[in-house]
Amino acid sequence: MTARPPHTLSPDVYDDAYYLSEAIEGYAAHRRGELSPLRAKHLALTAPVPGLAVLDIGFARGDLLRAVAETGARAFGLDYSPAACRIARRTAPAAALARGDAMRLPFADGSFDRVFAGDILEHQDREGGVLLLREMWRVLRPGGFLLAHTTPNRHFRSLVWPLARPLLRRMAPDTARDVDGQFAVMDRVHLHEYTPGELRRAAAEAGLPRAGLRVWVDPDLLRGDDYRVTRALASRPLVRLAAAVCARGPLLALFGNDLYLRCEKGLG
C-alpha cells in the first residue's frame, strides 16, 4: 500500500469503488453526464467565465471540472488519488489534470483566478486543513477568490443527530438508514470535521485576511427537493416547515450541514 502522506489518508483508500458510488455525492447525476444540484451550486459560486483560470482541488470524478471547461474558463484540477485521475480524464477531457498533494500545490504563486476545494478539508487532519487553505491562498491571483465547501457540520453531527435519529427512525426509517450509512462512510475517510467557528479559526491560522473573508452555513437544509438522502423528507410539508424554522438565526449553525468559506484577494 502507498505510504500515508502527512496529514491525510493513503490515496489507496480512494479507489474506483469509492468514486463510482454514492459515497461521493452526485453519482446518479454523474452517470447521466449532469451536475448534481450541490455541484451546480458550487459551479455558480465559483462563477467561471471565459478566459479565467480555475483550479479544482480534489476533483473526484471530474464533474465540476467538465462544467467549468464548458463555460470557456481554463479548467485545472489536482487530486492525489490515481483512481480519481483515471475517472476524471474520461469525465473532463478538456481539463488539465495533475496528481499531487493539496497541502503542497505544484503551482506557482498567483496562478489562478478561482481556487475551489469541495469536500476536501474534512479529509485532512486539523493541521492539514490549515495548510490546504494556506496553499489555496498562495496560488490565488490578486483580484480572484478562493472557495471551500465542507460537510458535515460537527455541531449537527454531535449535538443534533443523536437527538433527531430516534425520531427519524420512527418517522422515516429509510432516511435514517441512509444518513447512518453516509456517516459510516465519513467515519472511514474524514479526519477532522468543522463547525462554523472552527472554520473561521482555521482561515485565520492559514493567514487569510479578515477583509474579504466570509464563512457561512447554507440555509437549504434539505439540499433542495432531489437530494438522495432527504428526497423523501422534502415531500412532507411539516418537515419543510421545520427545516425553514431551523434555517433561521442561531439554529442554522446547529442544523445546517453545508459549510462554506470564501475569501477574496485584493489587488493592492
Side-chain angles (χ1 to χ4, degrees):
M1 178 173 285
T2 305
R4 175 187 183 276
H7 309 300
T8 192
L9 299 172
S10 165
D12 296 339
V13 171
Y14 304 97
D15 56 11
D16 289 74
Y18 175 77
Y19 290 111
L20 300 179
S21 74
E22 285 294 348
I24 298 289
E25 188 275 336
Y27 181 53
H30 168 80
R31 294 180 66 184
R32 298 192 300 268
E34 301 171 356
L35 284 182
S36 71
L38 181 64
R39 300 304 173 203
K41 181 176 293 187
H42 293 168
L43 179 67
L45 288 169
T46 306
V49 295
L52 290 187
V54 180
L55 174 63
D56 182 4
I57 300 172
F59 50 70
R61 293 182 290 252
D63 300 309
L64 186 69
L65 278 173
R66 178 186 59 210
V68 167
E70 288 171 351
T71 70
R74 292 178 290 142
F76 299 83
L78 179 133
D79 204 297
Y80 88 137
S81 162
C85 293
R86 286 194 301 271
I87 295 166
R89 285 191 189 100
R90 299 191 297 268
T91 305
L97 305 183
R99 182 169 177 245
D101 185 348
M103 288 160 285
R104 291 183 290 272
L105 294 175
F107 306 110
D109 296 359
S111 295
F112 303 99
D113 302 288
R114 305 282 190 271
V115 182
F116 176 69
D119 302 320
I120 300 302
L121 279 170
E122 65 272 18
H123 291 256
Q124 328 300 323
D125 64 14
R126 179 65 166 70
E127 184 181 356
V130 171
L131 292 172
L132 170 57
L133 290 172
R134 187 176 298 156
E135 280 290 275
M136 292 173 72
W137 184 253
R138 179 183 65 80
V139 301
L140 181 65
R141 286 176 183 159
F145 65 83
L146 63 82
L147 177 71
H149 170 259
T150 182
T151 189
N153 177 2
R154 200 171 71 242
H155 280 328
F156 176 87
R157 191 167 184 189
S158 61
L159 300 175
V160 176
W161 181 239
L163 298 175
R165 184 175 181 270
L167 175 62
L168 195 61
R169 289 187 68 184
R170 292 193 294 270
M171 183 178 71
D174 290 345
T175 300
R177 185 184 63 248
D178 286 344
V179 174
D180 282 338
Q182 200 66 41
F183 281 156
V185 172
M186 293 174 179
D187 286 339
R188 185 164 60 89
V189 295
H190 288 188
L191 297 184
H192 186 83
E193 295 169 351
Y194 290 81
T195 66
E198 189 165 13
L199 193 53
R200 290 187 186 92
R201 289 190 291 274
E205 291 177 30
L208 274 59
R210 292 182 65 179
L213 174 67
R214 182 187 173 208
V215 173
W216 74 96
V217 184
D218 193 334
D220 182 8
L221 304 187
L222 299 175
R223 286 190 177 177
D225 297 326
D226 199 36
Y227 176 46
R228 176 182 62 87
V229 175
T230 59
R231 185 183 299 125
L233 289 180
S235 65
R236 302 186 181 201
L238 285 178
V239 171
R240 295 179 69 89
L241 176 61
V245 170
C246 293
R248 299 175 181 172
L251 289 177
L252 179 58
L254 290 174
F255 285 87
N257 256 315
D258 290 299
L259 310 183
Y260 288 91
L261 181 154
R262 184 184 190 275
C263 195
E264 301 176 9
K265 180 175 276 192
L267 293 171

